[in-house]
Amino acid sequence: MRTAPESVTSQLIVLFKLAFPIILGNFAYALLGITDIMMAGMAGTPDQAGVAVGGSFFFPAMTFIIGMISALHPVISRHCGANTREKIPAEHIHSVLACIIVAALLMVLLLGLSFFAIDMDADQRMEDIAKEYVIYIAFTMPLLALTVNARAYCEAMGNTRATFYFGTLAVVLNVPLNYVFIFGKFGMPELGGAGCGAASLVSMAISTVIIYSYVMLHPQLKNHSWLKNRDSISLDRLKSFLKLSLPLGISSSVECSCFTLIALLLSPLGPMEVSAHTITMSLTNFVFNIPLSLGIASSIMVGYAIGRNSLTTLRHNIQASYASMLFSIVVSVAILFFGSEALPALFSKDPQVLALASTLMLFAAVNQSFEGIQTIQAFILRGFKDTASILLVTVIAFYCVALPLGYTLCYGYLILPGAELFFEEGLTGPRGFWIGLLAGLLSASILYRIRVLHHWRDIKSKIAAAEASPQSPASAGAAP
């Protein structure tokens, strides 16, 4: 990463340069789950349902690892800002070890769940596919830990194009491998929907080899990865990274499990409500990659400014992050609002499902405003290495606010006055859960803002004296 510019506008340009390849790469990764479901459907409805059930076990585990590794961004970017890159290999190898340990535990957990937690008397084929899919996908966990570590390393070093390259590679590998293993082509066994899991395992192994080859050959990356570490392994350093990263892994899984739980809580209402909610959530999760990617870039830049020991640069970086948040909100809301009818039609032909999904898309568009606000601020806090508060706020927002409020509205235990003016059924059904999510995201946005201001004031008092150029009290003390 080049020397940080000294204006909000130029910092915003740097942020978008970092974030744009991440956005494209994350969109590509998001397509993997969609293509698995679509191609499994080519083998039959039970196969498609089995993969969907298996995915409900895999996604929380995957988000746990991805959440953990987001702690690496500020660690490395601080060293880049402080010009102490020689310390990066030791930091990197401890992150790799921490993630592999957790990934191995998750692999064992997934294998156990595949034998003891998947029991569907209604359809034996669906149960068999779900079990086999989870078994295959469990063995990808250590490879996932290695791959996301390499990806986070590249991003923190300022090479975010790697995310785009390898996101595209994952899709290019996964689609033909799905075809090969689902239908048993080129001498491979015909696995049906479970072939999606086998394809993921093979494509992950290939991707791991290629991404580390890329790191070892790239002139700006090859000298600072964990493969070049010469320091001994330190138990204290390993514990330190686990302390920093585990709250992020847990918070990511908590948020992911919340959405899964909403689908289960809606199931007594019938398949129409569940389908409409699932379609809306799938599209929202896809659009979420915009604030997510901008947030990753924000955490890198905040960490870089702290490592550089520059209060002015830090303020500009935070202000640029908030400016990018506005861009994220406008684009995300526009996609969900203007696509409220056309996008759900890609997933279903049932007119009742589409009518409800179109309504829920409007709720999702409003929610995305606060999703953008809370996501960017959460990643700013990652730049400050404040991960414990992220876990606390996530639990409060989703399990203390969103789920209880959503449930009481959904089943009519709480009736908000005036709701019937907009919807004949008021805010019952899935609408209630989307109002609950809105309240949860609003709560998170407020709590994160308070925490960002706390860190700003704290660090201002610590590094103001180290500013390269003297700043006036008004300039140095303005809230970002």
Side-chain angles (χ1 to χ4, degrees):
M1 190 183 299
R2 295 182 177 86
T3 302
E6 295 300 329
S7 75
V8 176
T9 301
S10 52
Q11 284 291 62
L12 186 60
I13 293 172
V14 172
L15 191 150
F16 275 113
K17 285 182 178 179
L18 284 173
F20 188 66
I22 301 177
I23 293 173
L24 296 178
N26 281 338
F27 277 145
Y29 282 114
L31 285 173
L32 292 177
I34 295 174
T35 55
D36 276 359
I37 296 295
M38 292 175 65
M39 296 188 72
M42 296 166 62
T45 299
D47 291 63
Q48 187 177 50
V51 171
V53 171
S56 68
F57 289 90
F58 170 59
F59 291 133
M62 178 183 69
T63 55
F64 195 107
I65 296 296
I66 294 175
M68 275 188 69
I69 202 55
S70 65
L72 185 62
H73 292 117
V75 171
I76 291 180
S77 62
R78 285 193 183 196
H79 284 302
C80 291
N83 201 25
T84 53
R85 287 178 171 83
E86 69 278 0
K87 298 180 180 180
I88 292 176
E91 300 278 13
H92 193 194
I93 195 169
H94 287 91
S95 76
V96 171
L97 289 174
C99 288
I100 286 181
I101 290 170
V102 173
L105 294 174
L106 290 173
M107 180 181 71
V108 173
L109 177 61
L110 286 172
L111 290 173
L113 290 172
S114 70
F115 289 103
F116 301 111
I118 300 178
D119 186 9
M120 291 169 282
D121 297 330
D123 194 307
Q124 187 60 45
R125 172 69 177 178
M126 181 170 65
E127 178 180 329
D128 292 340
I129 292 297
K131 286 182 176 180
E132 292 173 24
Y133 178 83
V134 173
I135 290 171
Y136 282 118
I137 216 72
F139 288 103
T140 68
M141 297 308 295
L143 295 171
L144 176 67
L146 288 170
T147 301
V148 296
N149 258 281
R151 172 184 160 180
Y153 166 72
C154 294
E155 290 170 348
M157 293 291 288
N159 187 341
T160 56
R161 287 171 295 179
T163 300
F164 169 63
Y165 297 153
F166 295 105
T168 304
L169 174 66
V171 175
V172 169
L173 288 173
N174 205 61
V175 171
L177 285 171
N178 272 349
Y179 179 74
V180 168
F181 285 106
I182 289 173
F183 300 106
K185 303 299 181 179
F186 303 105
M188 294 294 107
E190 184 177 345
L191 301 175
C196 295
S200 295
L201 178 59
V202 174
S203 65
M204 187 67 71
I206 296 172
S207 295
T208 302
V209 172
I210 294 176
I211 194 169
Y212 277 101
S213 299
Y214 175 83
V215 168
M216 291 306 296
L217 293 173
H218 196 284
Q220 277 77 48
L221 300 174
K222 63 181 182 180
N223 294 323
H224 304 294
S225 79
W226 67 272
L227 297 171
K228 291 298 183 79
N229 178 59
R230 297 293 181 265
D231 294 347
S232 58
I233 301 301
S234 166
L235 186 59
D236 288 338
R237 272 186 167 177
L238 183 60
K239 289 179 179 177
S240 178
F241 187 80
L242 284 170
K243 183 179 179 181
L244 183 68
S245 62
L246 282 177
L248 297 179
I250 296 170
S251 63
S252 296
S253 287
V254 164
E255 186 172 348
C256 180
S257 64
C258 174
F259 297 126
T260 302
L261 187 55
I262 288 175
L264 292 175
L265 292 173
L266 284 171
S267 59
L269 298 179
M272 188 266 287
E273 285 80 1
V274 174
S275 295
H277 169 78
T278 302
I279 290 170
T280 306
M281 189 56 68
S282 297
L283 291 167
T284 303
N285 289 339
F286 191 78
V287 171
F288 172 69
N289 284 294
I290 299 173
L292 172 65
S293 303
L294 291 168
I296 291 172
S298 298
S299 71
I300 294 170
M301 293 182 67
V302 168
Y304 180 86
I306 294 173
R308 192 174 178 231
N309 206 37
S310 170
L311 189 64
T312 300
T313 303
L314 177 60
R315 185 176 68 251
H316 290 164
N317 284 348
I318 295 176
Q319 290 172 338
S321 298
Y322 277 107
S324 73
M325 176 187 72
L326 296 176
F327 168 83
S328 165
I329 291 172
V330 170
V331 175
S332 301
V333 170
I335 292 172
L336 295 174
F337 181 81
F338 292 108
S340 60
E341 294 186 2
L343 294 177
L346 299 174
F347 293 80
S348 176
K349 302 301 181 185
D350 187 321
Q352 287 185 302
V353 171
L354 292 178
L356 180 55
S358 296
T359 300
L360 296 181
M361 287 283 283
L362 301 180
F363 283 87
V366 176
N367 281 20
Q368 198 62 31
S369 300
F370 296 98
E371 182 75 85
I373 295 171
Q374 71 97 16
T375 299
I376 296 296
Q377 293 187 127
F379 275 93
I380 291 173
L381 291 178
R382 281 170 168 83
F384 284 110
K385 292 187 177 180
D386 182 0
T387 59
S389 67
I390 294 174
L391 173 57
L392 179 61
V393 170
T394 300
V395 172
I396 292 173
F398 288 98
Y399 278 86
C400 298
V401 177
L403 280 178
L405 178 59
Y407 185 83
T408 55
L409 288 171
C410 174
Y411 287 97
Y413 298 117
L414 174 66
I415 300 175
L416 296 181
E420 66 280 358
L421 297 176
F422 299 95
F423 304 101
E424 184 178 343
E425 304 87 350
L427 292 175
T428 57
R431 301 174 191 82
F433 275 110
W434 282 91
I435 292 296
L437 288 171
L438 175 61
L441 293 171
L442 176 59
S443 302
S445 300
I446 294 170
L447 293 173
Y448 282 144
R449 177 59 180 171
I450 293 171
R451 199 65 184 162
V452 168
L453 289 174
H454 164 78
H455 282 292
W456 166 255
R457 290 163 183 153
D458 180 61
I459 205 165
K460 182 183 69 173
S461 64
K462 294 179 179 178
I463 69 173
E467 284 282 66
S469 301
Q471 300 292 320
S472 68
S475 175

